[in-house]
Amino acid sequence: KGMTDILIRRKPNEDQKEYLDGIKQSSESLLVIINDILDISKIEAGKAELEQEAFSVNELVNNVHTIMQFKAEEKGLELLKDIPSEILTVRGDATRLRQILLNLIGNAIKFTEKGLVTTSVKSEQAGEILNLHFTVSDTGIGIDKNKMGKIFESFEQAYNDTSRKFGGTGLGLSISKKLVELHNGKIWVESEKGKGSQFHFMIPYALAETK
């Protein structure tokens, strides 16, 4: 994949560029599948351990938005965020939180043709614990009420033609659910077919001193 990226940067002929773009897209799809399968295997084997480092939630959300901005712009979508103005510094696994947000925001962009995708964060302090409530909402295709129960299961997608139309393994939400539960949190969805979805998750974090 890296070598293909280098070749694309070296201004190949148009017909060569077409083939290189094909390799690039295929390798990116394979990389998603490999990463998802490795992740789900590690979590189910009980080998996934959480780091305990101090990090800024605001910084992390801003970073995720920077990464996803291009994907949103490609589809003509607005990517918004609503996060507290005060700096929220907690102790925990920043990489895993980033992974959950990238999964949920990536899904929201994938299943939304027009409108917006919004990430909001609310916090509630209880002693030394900061309960964080994240919501990723979209104006996309939505999910039928009778399909909502199965979307967090491994290799499951709400509709049979989802993989063909949108790509993906059907593992993203299952991984997100397992990671949230690894944090002693909970995840759920509210949705209306044709009107959009709101994915919520809550994680309790230990407060850390502001950097």
Side-chain angles (χ1 to χ4, degrees):
K1 183 184 176 301
M3 289 174 183
T4 305
D5 288 338
I6 291 166
L7 283 171
I8 289 170
R9 285 202 298 274
R10 290 188 175 177
K11 299 185 175 67
N13 301 335
E14 271 310 305
D15 60 333
Q16 292 173 326
K17 186 173 185 305
E18 194 181 325
Y19 296 135
L20 289 168
D21 283 338
I23 296 170
K24 181 182 164 75
Q25 284 169 19
S26 299
S27 58
E28 281 171 355
S29 298
L30 281 170
L31 196 59
V32 168
I33 293 167
I34 290 165
N35 284 339
D36 281 356
I37 289 170
L38 287 173
D39 259 341
I40 206 88
S41 305
K42 196 172 182 181
I43 294 165
E44 287 180 348
K47 300 289 184 190
E49 290 177 10
L50 298 174
E51 298 283 328
Q52 293 299 324
E53 298 290 332
F55 69 93
S56 158
V57 177
N58 313 57
E59 202 177 292
L60 187 143
V61 174
N62 288 333
N63 172 259
V64 167
H65 264 240
T66 303
I67 294 167
M68 301 309 288
Q69 189 67 48
F70 177 65
K71 279 188 183 296
E73 282 172 5
E74 260 185 343
K75 292 189 74 176
L77 300 173
E78 243 188 304
L79 191 60
L80 305 175
K81 57 181 183 283
D82 174 16
I83 56 178
S85 51
E86 75 270 19
I87 301 297
L88 304 173
T89 307
V90 297
R91 187 167 293 283
D93 196 321
T95 304
R96 290 309 196 176
L97 176 58
R98 187 181 292 109
Q99 186 179 1
I100 297 163
L101 286 170
L102 285 170
N103 263 338
L104 295 182
I105 296 169
N107 262 9
I109 292 170
K110 183 164 49 167
F111 295 114
T112 304
E113 285 310 314
K114 59 175 190 285
L116 43 99
V117 171
T118 309
T119 308
S120 67
V121 184
K122 289 185 178 141
S123 67
E124 190 182 300
Q125 192 171 336
E128 290 299 298
I129 298 295
L130 193 66
N131 291 304
L132 293 181
H133 180 173
F134 297 85
T135 308
V136 176
S137 56
D138 64 61
T139 54
I141 59 173
I143 308 159
D144 279 332
K145 280 192 166 45
N146 61 341
K147 306 277 186 187
M148 283 199 266
K150 71 179 207 174
I151 58 168
F152 290 109
E153 292 170 21
S154 296
F155 300 105
E156 286 285 1
Q157 290 172 321
Y159 304 103
N160 296 332
D161 59 354
T162 298
S163 281
R164 181 174 52 79
K165 279 187 185 171
F166 301 99
T169 54
L171 285 172
L173 286 177
S174 177
I175 290 168
S176 297
K177 181 174 190 280
K178 286 175 164 59
L179 287 176
V180 169
E181 288 171 350
L182 205 58
H183 285 84
N184 298 316
K186 59 178 181 174
I187 187 168
W188 69 98
V189 61
E190 294 167 356
S191 185
E192 198 174 331
K193 186 84 168 78
K195 292 196 176 174
S197 306
Q198 299 85 44
F199 281 86
H200 303 265
F201 67 97
M202 289 183 82
I203 293 179
Y205 283 103
L207 272 167
E209 285 179 27
T210 306
K211 291 182 194 174

